[in-house]
Amino acid sequence: MAIVVQKYGGSSVGTIGKIKNVARRVAKRREAGDQVVVVVSAMGKTTNMLVGMAKEISENPPTREMDMLMSTGEQISISLLSIALKELGFDSISMTGFQAGILTGGRHTNARITDIEISNVKEELDKGKIVVVAGFQGVNEKGNITTLGRGGSDTTAVALAAKLSCNCEIYTDVEGIYTVDPRLYAEAKKLEAISYEEMMEMASLGAGVMQTRSVEIGQKFGVPIYVALSTEERPGTYIKEHDASMEEKVITGLSVSDDDIMITINGIPYSTKVVSVLFEKLAERDVNIDMISQTAPHDGFINISFTADKGDLNSIREVISDFENENGGVRSEIDEEITKLSVVGNGMRTHSGVAAKMFKILAENEIEFKQVTTSEIRISYTINPKDKIKAVHAIAKVFDL
Ligand code: ASP
Ligand code: MG
């Protein structure tokens, strides 16, 4: 008898009918002999609705109260699912993050799991119960309820699987991980497997299926993750350590994001100190920087471009305006209209010529790029959003995605 953690996302528990359906699936698994821990998200768009209510009262609601508020969404779905399981004749118990022993540190609304005091969950499993845990929430050292950042139920599920040394199954409204977002490229293929590392690049670049941090935890603790459809039995995608069974293609996927902005700062004095102060200030405000590129020094000055999340626009504006005031002659520009395209593939470690191919594709299709950066397994470009579909189709065809 194995333990398994299954997670069902908001759209999979969006209605009472869907909750009953999830209960049937969980019950089937229990009947097959496995001990099951189920993690659920809030029903449908509940979390958005809760955030909206707070925003009607305050532009900037206190984050502790936001956690108190947002955590209620998951309490609705765990209790309803547990009721549905009992109705099917299965013994089950729902648990909040606190009851499941999920300890967190860090900031409210974006806390991190520091440890899981797993004994409560284990005890209930040993009694033969199905344990239904609220995703997305935990408790901090002060005993306050915290949440793990939007999409955080994935992280709850993988962290529980890590603690229980078992597999984690993520059931959602897509069949698995695709080479390209099928909404942008209908011929995209579903991947049988993808490595943790590739998935992290894909997820942080806008593949959007799982919270990136959950994949990070999966890699750290070697938790095999399976992503599949919640409504039907169809083969999904395994996320695991890279191994020989994974298809040996140079490029595994193309990820596309419209959620970034690009900041260009010209006329920065050529000094590591000055640059380090700029990025330190951004880090202090938790601005997550993705691409960074810098020109070679010219007459004692450099230009730097970087991309960051659209949500950080206000923080970035403040930092940059201070930076301009402190360094006369610095001029900056924020480009809110960009699309970020990234080709990701473990095969890039051993194959050369991917960058050359990419430049050729863009040139042949008359697509101008604004910035390009590379890492061991990824090449990213920012382009004008008007060229997005053309670029996606051309790249996908050449790399057979
Ligand atoms: N309900 C939370 C959210 O909407 C957590 C999750 O869905 O994973 O972000
Ligand atoms: Mg999600």
Side-chain angles (χ1 to χ4, degrees):
M1 198 162 65
I3 304 179
V4 65
V5 175
Q6 296 194 329
K7 181 250 168 180
Y8 292 88
S11 57
S12 308
V13 292
T15 62
I16 296 297
K18 286 181 174 182
I19 289 178
K20 287 183 180 175
N21 181 54
V22 168
R24 279 190 290 272
R25 287 179 59 116
V26 172
K28 209 167 138 196
R29 190 58 171 270
R30 178 76 191 101
E31 220 157 34
D34 288 327
Q35 291 182 303
V36 192
V37 176
V38 196
V39 174
V40 281
S41 297
M43 292 174 72
K45 301 254 176 274
T46 303
T47 312
N48 287 349
M49 186 196 77
L50 294 169
V51 171
M53 285 160 78
K55 291 264 151 109
E56 275 181 43
I57 303 172
S58 162
E59 223 171 84
N60 211 355
T63 53
R64 179 192 179 278
E65 304 309 328
M66 284 311 288
D67 277 352
M68 189 67 91
L69 176 66
M70 288 193 290
S71 65
T72 61
E74 272 70 12
Q75 290 192 42
I76 297 173
S77 43
I78 53 169
S79 44
L80 290 174
L81 180 57
S82 185
I83 292 169
L85 283 163
K86 286 197 198 253
E87 195 61 20
L88 293 175
F90 287 78
D91 204 3
S92 73
I93 181 168
S94 64
M95 285 188 181
T96 63
F98 169 67
Q99 290 170 324
I102 296 174
L103 309 176
T104 64
R107 294 186 304 134
H108 275 293
T109 72
N110 198 18
R112 285 173 176 266
I113 297 178
T114 49
D115 198 7
I116 301 180
E117 183 45 72
I118 198 74
S119 52
N120 277 354
V121 171
K122 271 206 170 131
E123 246 169 59
E124 299 299 336
L125 283 177
D126 288 343
K127 287 185 205 157
K129 290 188 189 178
I130 296 167
V131 181
V132 185
V133 179
F136 178 54
Q137 56 175 263
V139 62
N140 68 14
E141 65 281 357
K142 290 188 191 141
N144 284 314
I145 295 177
T146 54
T147 61
L148 307 176
R150 298 304 305 271
S153 298
D154 296 325
T155 299
T156 306
V158 177
L160 279 166
K163 201 72 189 183
L164 293 162
S165 308
C166 68
N167 291 2
C168 184
E169 301 172 352
I170 306 279
Y171 292 106
T172 171
D173 54 358
V174 295
E175 277 187 37
I177 313 296
Y178 284 80
T179 51
V180 190
D181 184 341
R183 285 168 301 185
L184 299 175
Y185 184 63
E187 297 96 275
K189 301 178 185 73
K190 186 170 57 189
L191 293 162
E192 235 171 77
I194 183 170
S195 72
Y196 294 117
E197 213 181 346
E198 287 170 325
M199 185 61 202
M200 277 192 280
E201 296 282 9
M202 297 277 283
S204 64
L205 296 172
V209 181
M210 284 181 72
Q211 200 187 37
T212 309
R213 213 184 299 156
S214 66
V215 184
E216 231 171 82
I217 294 176
Q219 177 173 42
K220 188 166 169 202
F221 297 97
V223 178
I225 302 170
Y226 178 65
V227 181
L229 204 61
S230 66
T231 46
E232 279 173 69
E233 303 285 344
R234 299 235 189 112
T237 303
Y238 286 94
I239 308 171
K240 54 185 188 175
E241 210 55 73
H242 183 80
D243 69 37
S245 74
M246 290 185 188
E247 208 179 334
E248 263 319 317
K249 266 164 79 174
V250 183
I251 299 302
T252 305
L254 164 65
S255 134
V256 183
S257 163
D258 293 315
D259 299 327
D260 296 74
I261 49 176
M262 186 173 103
I263 300 93
T264 300
I265 310 180
N266 293 315
I268 303 175
Y270 178 44
S271 141
T272 316
K273 228 186 200 155
V274 174
V275 174
S276 109
V277 168
L278 169 67
F279 284 98
E280 220 170 88
K281 289 268 156 62
L282 290 165
E284 273 167 20
R285 287 167 195 249
D286 268 328
V287 174
N288 201 349
I289 311 259
D290 184 37
M291 303 166 70
I292 303 184
S293 58
Q294 184 204 304
T295 58
H298 184 74
D299 290 337
F301 292 98
I302 53 169
N303 305 326
I304 287 183
S305 292
F306 61 90
T307 61
D309 207 81
K310 268 200 176 118
D312 290 330
L313 182 59
N314 287 338
S315 305
I316 292 170
R317 278 221 177 96
E318 283 167 26
V319 171
I320 285 182
S321 129
D322 288 349
F323 188 70
E324 283 181 339
N325 291 337
E326 283 153 23
N327 298 281
V330 164
R331 297 168 317 282
S332 62
E333 210 178 283
I334 299 182
D335 192 344
E336 294 177 54
E337 296 300 317
I338 59 161
T339 291
K340 189 169 70 182
L341 298 176
S342 304
V343 286
V344 172
N346 204 60
M348 259 191 254
R349 285 185 212 279
T350 44
H351 291 77
S352 54
V354 178
K357 241 185 191 169
M358 283 290 287
F359 281 116
K360 190 160 171 234
I361 297 166
L362 296 180
E364 278 175 359
N365 289 279
E366 292 173 13
I367 298 166
E368 296 300 329
F369 62 91
K370 303 180 184 210
Q371 190 186 15
V372 54
T373 60
T374 67
S375 81
E376 263 198 303
I377 66 163
R378 144 187 170 197
I379 303 180
S380 301
Y381 290 83
T382 53
I383 62 167
N384 191 313
K386 76 170 170 41
D387 292 327
K388 175 166 88 174
I389 295 297
K390 188 162 77 168
V392 167
H393 282 244
I395 295 165
K397 285 218 173 74
V398 170
F399 289 106
D400 189 26
L401 297 174

